[in-house]
Amino acid sequence: MAGKSPRKRDAPSRNAPGTNGAAKEAAANPATKPQESSSGVSWTHLVLVVLCAVAYAVYQNPSLVTEPLAEFIGTDPFQPSTSGVGKITADPQKKGAIVAAFKHAWLAYERDAMGDDEYHPISHKGTNLTEAGGIGYTVVDSIDTMLIMGLHDEYARARDWIATKMSFERDADFNTFETTIRVLGGLLSAYTLTEDQMYLEKAKDLADRIMPAFDTPSGLPLSYINLGKRAGSRTVDNKGLVSTAEVSTLQLEFRYLSYLTDNETYWDVAEKVMEVIKRSSLTTGLAAIFMNPEDGRFVMSAIRLGSRGDSYYEYLLKQYIQTNHTEPVYQRMYDFAIEGVQKHLIKKSELAHLTYTSELIPERDPTGRISWRLSPKQDHLICFFGGSLMLGAVTTGAAAQPVSVPPRASELTPQGKRDWKTGVELIETCMRTHETATGLSPEIVHFRIPSDGLSGSTMPNDWYIKGAKPGAPAPYDARYILRPETVESLFIAYRLTGDERYRRYGWQIFEAIERHCKIASGGYASIINVDQVPVEYEDKMETFLMSETLKYLYLLFDDADVLPLDKYVFNTEAHPFPIIDTPRRANF
């Protein structure tokens, strides 16, 4: 970091009111009491030990007291003091500011790089993902946001480019996952919002070119697809293995296309992947981040909710939602996976008691034995998970449907209440990671644990950026690349609760983006170090700024009747698809 961090994240006092510090002090000073018989002293000590144990249990889990008490006096810990909330209405002023930001990004891209896959706002140029040319990643990824925001002129020009200039006839390898979620997903959502057949025809053309990626012995798709040659290819970097998240985050797109076209083949290949994963499932419900496309088995690798793992868990829930809760296999897979997450990956930081997600890293000793090391590392990517858990709580964790806004405790199962609580806490933790010089969250954070060797150091008591030192170059972990995951969770949380704090949080993030990422000549750029002001830019505007970050911010301040969560499901790139009624059922 460029200087001393302005973050003020001191640990709470161990003897603060509400902790067991006072009880410990009393137990430690029996001499202050009148002299008693040995039998009396023994009983006194026993009572104090029990009281200490109870106090500590309540300190660690206040719901042990709050929920029974709420039930006794007739209140509900999931509800505000009034019965539910009023209708969620739009905030026109804030929506207008977010639309202006989108136009600032889009018009700069259109001026300097129209049709190119990526945009570099400082050098005023675009680049493509391959030497053979691009396929319009930024255009297609952004077009449904224009429709949602009512930007008719910008939309008309973008549609014209897709209709007349977009071509998938590229003799080059494109990432199967990214092309599916961004381009195929963008085309399908544009069709959803317009019913324009041009988008559906383009979507079919692209999907047919992607299909050969699924031609493997196991049915798991390869990481890359040559769109011109219609041939899948393996990644060299990962020794031919495939990412668990990538192979399991194509299903919403291919199933919806199958529904629209009555072509069962699209659905078949997507469902086959889930069957393979279920058959290879680990006993914990968790998923390692790599699989072998030859035999369809998991490979010894890290287990995490961050990169290469994240959207596997997301799409288990969303596949169940997509077909209107009619495929219980996905409910069972989701519940089993979340049980594993809650048991093995959800932790609390040692000093500040923040709820966070950890990683399990496999390690082999000299004798060949495997052990798992728990790492307190959390990617910004994980910040989608708080909102996802809350959505899951009112879906698979609901005692019955529909569920109130916000839900009452009586409307949720014990699993639902557990997941709701964890989701709320994870969102709060993600907002704590925005306590930086810029108000923006770093790419990766680590949480304090007893074995980190940082006791007595100047490191904050809750989380820190690994490798960050005053006056030293910023580590990779310190950057902010316009990511959407926190605002995605804020959007979902607000729709499920009506709690205004989530709008306040979202507005804080938007203002920080405006203040530190906005380029005066047009566009927005990533920043190298969230704890340095003035900031240093990286000359890149990720496509997900316009497809996800600004879209979720806009919807956060929009009316709840716009793309309601009981009628639409968002793919992992924030492209909305309708919830569908279909006779098709998973048969594994």
Side-chain angles (χ1 to χ4, degrees):
M1 292 182 287
K4 181 176 175 59
S5 169
R7 299 193 294 271
K8 297 179 180 178
R9 306 198 304 272
D10 296 328
S13 169
R14 292 305 184 105
N15 292 328
T19 72
N20 60 342
K24 286 183 178 178
E25 182 177 341
N29 294 280
T32 60
K33 292 181 173 291
Q35 186 175 3
E36 303 180 35
S37 67
S38 60
S39 175
V41 171
S42 176
W43 276 107
T44 300
H45 284 173
L46 179 60
V47 170
L48 288 172
V49 168
V50 171
L51 288 174
C52 286
V54 171
Y56 184 74
V58 171
Y59 175 62
Q60 292 293 317
N61 187 7
S63 64
L64 292 173
V65 171
T66 57
E67 290 187 14
L69 180 62
E71 184 175 350
F72 177 74
I73 65 177
T75 61
D76 192 324
F78 286 84
Q79 288 274 344
S81 57
T82 57
S83 58
V85 297
K87 178 179 171 61
I88 292 175
T89 57
D91 185 326
Q93 183 177 3
K94 289 183 171 60
K95 282 175 55 182
I98 296 164
V99 170
F102 179 90
K103 291 178 70 173
H104 186 78
W106 170 260
L107 293 175
Y109 164 78
E110 187 179 25
R111 177 194 66 206
D112 298 331
M114 184 62 174
D116 288 342
D117 290 331
E118 297 182 327
Y119 179 48
H120 307 279
I122 297 173
S123 56
H124 301 283
K125 67 179 184 181
T127 55
N128 288 315
L129 296 175
T130 75
E131 293 183 0
I135 56 175
Y137 261 57
T138 296
V139 181
V140 185
D141 221 6
S142 307
I143 198 164
D144 61 357
T145 308
M146 299 176 203
L147 287 162
I148 292 166
M149 291 182 173
L151 297 174
H152 304 297
D153 293 341
E154 290 81 1
Y155 165 75
R157 297 193 299 271
R159 184 205 178 277
D160 181 67
W161 186 91
I162 293 172
T164 61
K165 296 181 180 179
M166 170 180 271
S167 173
F168 302 128
E169 198 61 46
R170 304 290 189 222
D171 183 6
D173 289 343
F174 290 82
N175 183 277
T176 305
F177 160 75
E178 297 288 358
T179 303
T180 298
I181 66 168
R182 301 191 193 205
V183 185
L184 182 60
L187 291 168
L188 290 172
S189 64
Y191 175 78
T192 296
L193 298 175
T194 65
E195 298 187 353
D196 186 333
Q197 287 293 319
M198 182 271 292
Y199 295 118
L200 186 56
E201 292 303 317
K202 293 282 187 182
K204 288 191 293 184
D205 179 19
L206 177 58
D208 289 343
R209 294 170 185 272
I210 294 174
M211 286 290 284
F214 293 89
D215 293 339
T216 65
S218 67
L220 298 181
L222 296 174
S223 298
Y224 285 87
I225 182 72
N226 186 305
L227 295 178
K229 293 182 177 178
R230 304 186 184 218
S233 62
R234 300 175 186 275
T235 173
V236 176
D237 295 342
N238 299 317
K239 301 178 182 178
L241 302 177
V242 294
S243 159
T244 301
E246 292 188 358
V247 301
S248 60
T249 313
L250 315 167
Q251 283 64 30
L252 296 188
E253 296 80 3
F254 276 89
R255 288 172 11 137
Y256 182 40
L257 181 61
S258 174
Y259 172 82
L260 292 174
T261 61
D262 291 324
N263 184 340
E264 293 287 317
T265 307
Y266 299 134
W267 198 299
D268 290 341
V269 296
E271 189 174 278
K272 174 66 174 178
V273 173
M274 301 311 300
E275 180 181 1
V276 170
I277 291 176
K278 185 174 185 293
R279 188 171 62 241
S280 303
S281 178
L282 303 179
T283 57
T284 59
L286 300 173
I289 61 171
F290 284 113
M291 302 186 75
N292 189 330
E294 292 298 312
D295 59 16
R297 294 181 180 274
F298 285 106
V299 176
M300 187 64 68
S301 51
I303 293 174
R304 63 188 182 218
L305 294 170
S307 61
R308 302 188 182 279
D310 49 0
S311 49
Y312 164 67
Y313 302 91
E314 175 189 1
Y315 266 38
L316 287 179
L317 174 63
K318 289 183 174 179
Q319 287 178 83
Y320 181 60
I321 293 173
Q322 184 182 34
T323 51
N324 206 17
H325 308 177
T326 59
E327 295 184 282
V329 64
Y330 295 116
Q331 178 182 14
R332 292 192 295 270
M333 290 179 71
Y334 174 76
D335 289 345
F336 185 40
I338 298 306
E339 190 69 32
V341 169
Q342 289 278 9
K343 184 176 181 180
H344 298 286
L345 301 184
I346 299 294
K347 302 295 176 183
K348 278 193 180 290
S349 64
E350 179 72 11
L351 300 176
H353 303 289
L354 299 179
T355 298
Y356 69 94
T357 68
S358 53
E359 298 185 359
L360 284 169
I361 311 297
E363 295 179 332
R364 191 185 302 272
D365 67 17
T367 67
R369 294 182 57 186
I370 298 293
S371 62
W372 293 87
R373 175 174 57 85
L374 199 64
S375 171
K377 168 179 172 285
Q378 179 172 290
D379 297 357
H380 186 278
L381 288 167
I382 288 170
C383 287
F384 88 93
F385 195 57
S388 184
L389 276 178
M390 294 172 73
L391 183 60
V394 300
T395 306
T396 74
Q401 295 290 350
V403 175
S404 304
V405 177
R408 298 182 180 277
S410 60
E411 296 173 333
L412 301 181
T413 64
Q415 166 203 315
K417 287 187 279 190
R418 175 201 65 188
D419 293 348
W420 179 275
K421 178 176 180 291
T422 303
V424 170
E425 291 173 353
L426 282 173
I427 292 175
E428 292 298 323
T429 297
C430 286
M431 287 307 302
R432 288 286 288 271
T433 67
H434 282 265
E435 294 176 2
T436 63
T438 58
L440 297 168
S441 177
E443 182 73 358
I444 298 172
V445 300
H446 283 72
F447 289 84
R448 293 290 304 275
I449 58 175
S451 60
D452 57 22
L454 298 175
S455 297
S457 72
T458 58
M459 283 293 186
N461 285 335
D462 45 14
W463 64 269
Y464 62 98
I465 302 171
K466 191 172 183 178
K469 298 177 181 178
Y476 174 84
D477 294 7
R479 67 190 56 228
Y480 173 70
I481 62 172
L482 308 170
R483 284 204 184 277
E485 284 75 19
T486 301
V487 294
E488 175 183 355
S489 277
L490 296 177
F491 160 67
I492 294 171
Y494 185 67
R495 286 289 181 93
L496 296 180
T497 65
D499 190 331
E500 288 298 320
R501 66 174 158 160
Y502 296 120
R503 278 188 167 178
R504 290 196 300 273
Y505 290 161
W507 189 247
Q508 290 169 16
I509 294 172
F510 175 71
E511 288 189 313
I513 293 171
E514 285 288 286
R515 187 177 304 115
H516 298 292
C517 302
K518 188 174 187 177
I519 304 301
S521 59
Y524 293 77
S526 306
I527 60 175
I528 301 297
N529 186 353
V530 295
D531 258 333
Q532 175 183 304
V533 176
V535 299
E536 179 183 355
Y537 294 114
E538 179 184 11
D539 188 15
K540 188 175 183 181
M541 187 176 83
E542 298 282 355
T543 72
F544 47 68
L545 170 71
M546 292 191 287
S547 68
E548 297 186 76
T549 307
L550 294 177
K551 181 188 296 167
Y552 278 131
L553 281 167
Y554 180 85
L555 291 172
L556 174 61
F557 292 99
D558 207 351
D559 192 301
D561 292 335
V562 177
L563 299 174
L565 295 180
D566 61 346
K567 297 289 191 296
Y568 290 87
V569 59
F570 289 79
N571 88 336
T572 198
E573 192 73 5
H575 297 306
F577 304 153
I579 293 173
I580 57 179
D581 292 312
T582 171
R584 177 84 186 230
R585 301 288 184 270
N587 57 4
F588 59 89

